[in-house]
Amino acid sequence: MCLWILGDNKVKAVFIDLDGVICRNRDDHVKSRAEFEFQAGAREGLRRLARLDVLIVVVTNQIVINRGMVTVQTGEHIYRQMVDEIEKAGGRVDRVLCCPQGADGHCTCREIQPGLLTRVSREMGVDPAQSYFISDIYADIQAGETVGCSCFLVLTGRGHDELRQCVLHHQNGFRVSSDLESAVDAILREGNIGSVGGEASD
């Protein structure tokens, strides 16, 4: 999909966390395509999202690369195969952004820092205030809130535990959805993003 930025027009985006939202978490991390398992409803949610006039960006922290458990080439191979399968299901991903740094790396791209979001917003003319962030991790939600995105915490992956901690610490400002598909349905109901070619949503 080509996105042409004309004048002051700004692109709308949906930023989506990878582990726990699109694919299932593993205690030993996803280190190969054989270990990559889609969350139930993730491909359907991405299929519905693909019909919207919106940039779809997967953002992920992958400390396994920093630790030498996975090479950059292997990570790229996993992402390419993931995108291929999403496209075969009728969905799309326009960009995958990965930060391999650990929590002690002081990297502005790693959650809770919004570096990955500000980078793609700057490079592709995205208006975060008209965009969304979907994650199962509150640190990601904080990054999305920092740049002005509307945020969804999904209850797949670590979402239940994260929501419990948010309630205990009186952290709010985000919406809660059962999974990626439900979050996409909520975005569709809001109608803030038009369909590609004027098609009606499901």
Side-chain angles (χ1 to χ4, degrees), residues 36-153:
F36 185 104
E37 183 181 358
F38 279 98
Q39 288 278 9
R43 280 172 288 194
E44 174 59 20
L46 287 163
R47 184 190 70 81
R48 296 184 189 180
L49 198 59
R51 296 172 61 178
L52 299 182
D53 187 15
V54 61
L55 184 69
I56 302 172
V57 183
V58 174
V59 291
T60 179
N61 294 126
Q62 292 295 327
I63 195 173
V64 291
I65 296 176
N66 182 272
R67 291 175 177 172
M69 299 168 64
V70 171
T71 65
V72 172
Q73 291 76 14
T74 297
E76 290 177 346
H77 178 68
I78 294 170
Y79 303 148
R80 280 196 298 269
Q81 290 195 313
M82 173 192 74
V83 172
D84 286 345
E85 292 192 42
I86 290 169
E87 289 178 347
K88 288 177 182 177
R92 63 178 166 84
V93 170
D94 298 302
R95 180 171 289 191
V96 178
L97 295 179
C98 172
C99 175
Q101 298 299 320
D104 57 351
H106 306 294
C107 177
T108 60
C109 289
R110 182 176 175 80
E111 65 205 16
I112 182 176
Q113 300 298 321
L116 287 178
L117 307 184
T118 54
R119 171 185 165 186
V120 74
S121 296
R122 181 179 63 252
E123 291 179 356
M124 304 197 75
V126 169
D127 182 359
Q130 299 186 67
S131 300
Y132 296 86
F133 194 101
I134 303 171
S135 181
D136 67 322
I137 302 294
Y138 182 61
D140 289 341
I141 297 297
Q142 288 177 285
E145 291 176 336
T146 297
V147 299
C149 291
S150 297
C151 298
F152 287 87
L153 178 72

